[in-house]
Amino acid sequence: MDPKSYERYSRQILFGEIGEAGQQRLLESSAVLVGCGALGTALANLLVRAGVGKLRIVDRDFVEPSNLQRQTLFEESDAQQALPKAVAAERRLRAINSGVAVEGVVADVGPKNAEELLRGFPLILDGTDNFETRFLLNDVAVHLHVPWIYAAVVASYGVTMTVRPGETACLACALESPDLSGSSAESSGAPPAAGAAAEDTCDTVGVLGAAAGVIASIQAAEAIKLLIGKSELAGGRPVARLTSFDVWSGRFQSVRVARNPVCRACVRRDFTYLEGDSQPRLTMCGRDSVQIHERRRQLDLAALGRRIAPTVEEVRENGFLLRFRVPHYEMTVFADGRAIIKGTRDTSVARSLYARYIGA
Ligand SMILES: [Zn+2]
């Protein structure tokens, strides 16, 4: 290793489990992160500083003022410019460590593009905020036989689990069984774990930056262990553990999750989410927004902005997205045709606004 790299990573090299050989492996490794919110920014920051060789970050959203409380890579100016999170994160991470190949991709990961976006990386990282996408990541990871690290955070607690397809339980083993059968809780008092996280969202019960920081840190350590080949348990077969931590109560729990012998995904290889017949064209996105997925068309945002300017208010366009207001609603349109309509939960209202301003 060259002296500058040795100096840069010296405190990590001094840690015996990593050492110079481990650091070298990390520098030659890569990972892909889906979702760049509270978990994703904290995780990307740790991994880029640690010297992962290449990191692709895929995110569909843009920075808003309400993100700044916990999404540690973003600044006020990013929110003012409504920059896509993937773009703002790439810019910041390159400034933090120019030796890492950081690639921000503005896209909504779905069944049609998931394999293309995730293929070629030895590790997939979950920074998403919904179970639809997590089960899709699980399907892709099992299908491609690539490890992935699930994580979720809401309010003051979060959960994480490392999945190694073919060796450990997968997310479907853990969460699709009705009663977590095959799992054995090691302490009394059920954690507010995955089940609760599936119902509550950051838009209804909030989220603490501290909770995201803890879970992202566990994810980062797991990622480094996997990338440098140090995740083997001494003498034992790897076992998935669903780890949860509540920063408010201080309660920590780690539950072994056994493989489900009839698991849909990792045993029967029935990749429901990847096959994606049920992928809705419209989804709820936060408490008061509807997202319209429309990947068939590429939009010229500048031209669209000029066309609608006479009939709408506060038109802003930054090369990545176009945002404008109409009475009661705010619409954000991306170059791939996707749109987020804020101010309604009614999908027919969203559809009609889309048709009126962007085209049927
Ligand atoms: Zn499974």
Side-chain angles (χ1 to χ4, degrees), residues 87-105:
V87 172
E90 178 188 304
R91 194 172 290 175
R92 182 75 192 279
L93 291 165
R94 282 174 182 266
I96 287 169
N97 191 344
S98 57
V100 175
V102 181
E103 180 198 9
V105 179

Side-chain angles (χ1 to χ4, degrees), residues 169-173 260 263 265-267:
C170 75
L171 192 68
C173 291
N260 174 355
C263 174
C266 71
V267 177

Side-chain angles (χ1 to χ4, degrees), residues 17-342:
E17 292 289 332
I18 295 180
E20 189 172 350
Q23 186 64 49
Q24 191 59 47
R25 273 187 80 165
L26 193 59
L27 289 166
E28 290 159 9
S29 72
S30 65
V32 56
L33 166 65
V34 181
C36 197
L39 283 170
T41 51
L43 178 57
N45 179 47
L46 287 166
L47 291 180
V48 165
R49 286 183 191 274
V52 64
K54 179 180 174 189
L55 184 66
R56 174 181 290 174
I57 300 169
V58 188
D59 191 280
R60 66 184 184 186
D61 233 332
F62 51 87
V63 183
E64 297 181 275
S66 67
N67 301 148
L68 300 176
Q69 157 258 352
R70 65 195 178 284
Q71 301 187 12
T72 53
L73 293 176
F74 306 136
E75 300 172 8
E76 291 175 0
S77 61
D78 299 327
Q80 278 153 15
Q81 296 170 54
L83 280 185
K85 291 181 177 180
V87 172
E90 178 188 304
R91 194 172 290 175
R92 182 75 192 279
L93 291 165
R94 282 174 182 266
I96 287 169
N97 191 344
S98 57
V100 175
V102 181
E103 180 198 9
V105 179
V106 185
D108 183 22
V109 174
K112 290 196 180 67
N113 61 3
E115 282 197 73
E116 179 193 329
L117 287 167
L118 306 179
R119 190 186 289 281
F121 290 87
L123 178 63
I124 299 168
L125 300 164
D126 177 13
T128 68
D129 61 358
N130 66 86
F131 276 89
E132 183 82 20
T133 312
R134 289 191 184 105
F135 280 114
L136 174 63
L137 297 187
N138 189 66
D139 275 7
V140 173
V142 171
H143 185 235
L144 298 178
H145 207 80
V146 167
W148 78 285
I149 306 177
Y150 152 67
V153 64
V154 67
S156 61
Y157 60 88
V159 295
T160 179
M161 185 174 92
T162 301
V163 173
R164 301 172 63 173
E167 296 176 81
T168 69
C170 75
L171 192 68
C173 291
L175 300 186
E176 286 184 4
S177 336
D179 55 351
L180 282 182
S181 56
S183 310
S184 58
E186 285 172 2
S187 67
S188 59
E199 289 160 26
D200 295 336
T201 75
C202 303
D203 290 303
T204 56
V205 297
V207 58
L208 298 184
V214 169
I215 298 300
S217 292
I218 298 171
Q219 266 185 302
E222 285 285 303
I224 291 170
K225 278 157 64 181
L226 277 164
L227 291 173
I228 69 171
K230 285 286 181 78
S231 58
E232 303 297 335
L233 293 174
R237 285 161 56 89
V239 177
R241 303 193 74 94
L242 189 67
T243 298
S244 65
F245 195 88
D246 186 321
V247 295
W248 208 256
S249 67
R251 190 165 58 191
F252 170 84
Q253 194 170 54
S254 180
V255 178
R256 289 167 68 109
V257 181
R259 290 190 73 178
N260 174 355
V262 294
C263 174
R264 166 190 64 80
C266 71
V267 177
R268 300 192 340 250
R269 302 188 74 76
D270 173 7
F271 301 121
T272 325
Y273 290 82
L274 184 55
E275 280 144 22
D277 306 330
S278 59
Q279 173 77 357
R281 281 192 57 244
L282 290 94
T283 51
M284 296 308 296
C285 171
R287 181 160 45 181
D288 195 26
S289 302
V290 174
Q291 175 172 221
I292 298 189
H293 306 260
E294 182 74 59
R295 275 189 229 94
R296 288 169 304 169
R297 57 160 93 203
Q298 199 69 23
L299 293 176
D300 180 341
L301 294 177
L304 178 62
R306 283 191 299 275
R307 181 161 62 79
I308 62 173
T311 53
V312 304
E313 289 169 5
E314 294 177 45
V315 181
R316 292 173 60 198
E317 194 258 320
N318 66 10
F320 305 102
L321 56 82
L322 171 73
R323 180 182 286 171
F324 57 91
R325 282 184 184 280
V326 295
H328 313 299
Y329 308 104
E330 180 187 82
M331 295 186 64
T332 304
V333 187
F334 295 83
D336 63 1
R338 196 157 48 83
I340 295 173
I341 292 115
K342 201 169 170 183

